Amino acid sequence: KMSFSMRHRASVSKHSSFTTRSQKGPFDFTHAFTREVPDSFSNALTMEPESGQSINIPRAKIEHKNYTTMLQTLLPHMKELPADNNCPDCCFVEDVLVAVPPFKVRASQLQENDSSALGPHHDFPGMAIITRPGAPSRQPEVAPIREALLEVGWPRRLIHEIQAPATLDGGDVLFTGSELWVGLSHRTNQAAIDQLRTLLGPACPVHAFSMEACGKSTLHLKSVVSLLDETMLMCADNAAGRSIQAQAEAKPALAGRFTFVNVPDPICSNVLRIGRTVVMQKGYPKSEEVIGPLCKAKGLSLNAVRMGECAKADGALTCCSVLLHVPKQK
């Protein structure tokens, strides 16, 4: 059998038959995937199973419906996958798919001999990477994703899958507009980092962050950091958030490129940015006092949605959707 590296060494260069859609930045999405809350949601995995916080499933479904309705007002296309009661965590669809949108590669990211692998003007064509979740009980969740991608027009040649022994949760992956930040966590391992680097090549660098340094209670990278815009990150004002900030500033390729804003409520460090709108968790006035003025200064609208039942299963706003900018096929 061919090795993973051999099969995917030329993964970007093979995609020259595809072009990017016109795109202003990493927040101009064309589609979103969500997945319904299953009746078995009370059995979802949690970092603190002894916390005593029981999930109210009818309320969770209402909150999720409100979330989906909100997305429908912000995006031209929505696709909601049906729940699978055999997969209690399936509504956290972000973890099963990493959708890297088309983007223009920064010249500083490429050596002279790297640019030949890309399209005209150093365009990265986009790539959908179906993950292999770190919790074995969640691995069946990936089954409907390839079909969903093809249904919305994602080019087949731009779809790849993470292979064993690698494990990857999408909640550990943050796209900044020109690279991926990936958390090495309980759910995502070094083999996944290696495969991402092989798939994406030098056009889309992959930077690894140790989640072990963040403490045992932090599930994913995006549990403590998310993107407000291309240069500003919302970061939990706790030891985990400060660890991610310190790790970023210690990397020569990242140092000085981002402003980190400390958010007092860790759950509110996970925001959803779609076009000119930012969405945050509802019911956290101290964090809204931080995020609200930033949005106003940048000309962004701020919406708030309550997802308290999902939070009981360690879910944040980005967990419940995958936002896509579907590449255009020639």
Side-chain angles (χ1 to χ4, degrees):
K1 291 184 177 179
M2 296 176 67
S3 70
F4 177 89
S5 178
M6 291 173 65
R7 283 184 280 121
H8 296 285
R9 189 170 293 154
S11 59
V12 175
S13 60
K14 289 190 298 184
H15 306 145
S16 57
S17 62
F18 299 97
T19 59
T20 61
R21 298 176 189 264
S22 175
Q23 186 178 356
K24 297 178 181 178
F27 311 108
D28 297 290
F29 302 104
T30 60
H31 296 71
F33 291 162
T34 61
R35 195 165 187 183
E36 295 174 336
V37 174
D39 294 335
S40 58
F41 187 46
S42 58
N43 297 320
L45 300 173
T46 175
M47 296 287 283
E48 299 180 7
E50 306 304 324
S51 66
Q53 294 190 87
S54 59
I55 294 173
N56 184 315
I57 293 179
R59 186 179 300 156
K61 291 186 175 186
I62 292 170
E63 290 179 347
H64 192 272
K65 180 63 176 176
N66 292 339
Y67 175 90
T68 302
T69 300
M70 178 268 301
L71 290 180
Q72 288 173 334
T73 68
L74 300 175
L75 289 155
H77 304 288
M78 279 280 304
K79 183 173 183 61
E80 184 165 43
L81 303 175
D84 181 349
N85 288 326
N86 294 316
C87 298
D89 295 90
C90 66
C91 60
F92 299 133
V93 68
E94 173 186 54
D95 287 325
V96 301
L97 177 63
V98 174
V100 182
F103 68 94
K104 192 171 294 298
V105 178
R106 293 188 298 118
S108 61
Q109 291 179 192
L110 292 175
Q111 297 177 356
E112 207 170 301
N113 61 354
D114 291 328
S115 60
S116 61
L118 301 173
H121 312 298
H122 296 174
D123 285 340
F124 183 83
M127 188 177 293
I129 302 168
I130 299 170
T131 72
R132 184 169 180 267
S137 64
R138 299 199 61 191
Q139 290 175 6
E141 295 175 32
V142 305
I145 293 300
R146 178 179 286 272
E147 182 180 348
L149 285 166
L150 295 173
E151 286 177 359
V152 300
W154 197 287
R156 188 182 299 271
R157 290 177 63 195
L158 297 178
I159 301 173
H160 295 279
E161 296 187 31
I162 294 296
Q163 304 294 327
T167 59
L168 175 70
D169 274 16
D172 276 318
V173 182
L174 176 66
F175 178 66
T176 69
S178 58
E179 73 244 320
L180 294 187
W181 294 17
V182 183
L184 281 165
S185 70
H186 302 291
R187 305 282 178 84
T188 297
N189 62 18
Q190 182 62 47
I193 300 279
D194 296 340
Q195 289 187 24
L196 287 172
R197 286 174 173 156
T198 300
L199 284 169
L200 297 169
C204 186
V206 176
H207 300 285
F209 288 78
S210 169
M211 300 309 296
E212 184 177 353
C214 296
K216 294 181 179 180
S217 62
T218 302
L219 179 59
H220 289 136
L221 176 69
K222 282 192 286 192
S223 300
V224 293
V225 65
S226 62
L227 205 63
L228 188 73
D229 66 18
E230 292 92 333
T231 61
M232 183 171 286
L233 292 156
M234 301 291 96
C235 203
D237 190 11
N238 59 17
R242 288 188 286 275
S243 173
I244 296 302
Q245 180 176 349
Q247 290 182 62
E249 292 177 342
K251 297 178 185 294
L254 302 179
R257 283 182 46 206
F258 298 94
T259 299
F260 291 84
V261 176
N262 294 326
V263 180
D265 302 290
I267 196 170
C268 294
S269 65
N270 180 278
V271 298
L272 201 60
R273 169 77 189 271
I274 304 172
R276 303 297 299 171
T277 299
V278 174
V279 184
M280 67 170 291
Q281 285 274 1
K282 189 173 185 178
Y284 295 88
K286 289 184 179 179
S287 291
E288 189 169 354
E289 288 174 6
V290 173
I291 298 170
L294 290 173
C295 291
K296 185 175 181 179
K298 293 175 178 291
L300 304 173
S301 300
L302 179 62
N303 289 358
V305 61
R306 192 180 303 278
M307 295 288 281
E309 297 306 308
C310 285
K312 293 177 182 177
D314 305 319
L317 289 183
T318 63
C319 300
C320 294
S321 60
V322 180
L323 303 176
L324 307 97
H325 188 106
V326 178
K328 184 178 181 180
Q329 187 170 352
K330 276 187 177 182

